[in-house]
Amino acid sequence: MTNKLGLVIKRIREERGLKQIYVAKKAQISNRYLSAIESGKRTPTLETIEKIAKAVGISTPGLFLEFIGDSAEVENHKKDDLKSIIKLLQDIFEPN
């Protein structure tokens, strides 16, 4: 799921013609960290997701709706994607 969220962030950023370094600076994170998020190597916190969403010009709920929309296109993966969303939200709100 993290990789898919990262891919959605990358897709939105690229559709809007934004450079990774610009979004990272606006979101107050390093370019390396944004790259790791987009490639699925790192899991962002909700705070970071909010900053990235704002930097690319979309609301946080809008970003999650984009994610769900992208995920829902593949019928066989709907259940797994929803489970992954729930797990991500649990990880964000109930960190170890």
Side-chain angles (χ1 to χ4, degrees):
M1 203 285 290
T2 302
N3 187 41
K4 290 181 183 179
L5 180 59
L7 291 174
V8 170
I9 290 168
K10 182 177 181 176
R11 178 182 54 78
I12 292 169
R13 177 181 62 75
E14 289 178 343
E15 283 175 354
R16 295 172 186 223
L18 302 172
K19 301 258 183 213
Q20 197 175 60
I21 195 155
Y22 170 82
V23 173
K25 186 173 183 175
K26 290 272 290 185
Q28 300 175 332
I29 60 175
S30 72
N31 190 49
R32 178 175 273 170
Y33 183 44
L34 179 57
S35 176
I37 291 168
E38 288 185 351
S39 65
K41 295 176 184 168
R42 296 285 305 269
T43 302
T45 63
L46 181 58
E47 180 182 357
T48 301
I49 292 169
E50 290 172 336
K51 287 179 179 181
I52 293 169
K54 184 175 181 182
V56 298
I58 192 169
S59 68
T60 304
L63 178 61
F64 282 113
L65 287 173
E66 289 282 334
F67 168 79
I68 292 167
D70 279 7
S71 298
E73 288 177 8
V74 181
E75 186 68 30
N76 294 336
H77 298 289
K78 279 185 180 179
K79 229 180 223 184
D80 290 337
D81 287 334
L82 291 174
K83 287 178 186 174
S84 295
I85 292 169
I86 292 167
K87 179 166 178 5
L88 175 66
L89 293 173
Q90 286 172 334
D91 290 346
I92 290 169
F93 291 108
E94 300 168 6
N96 294 336

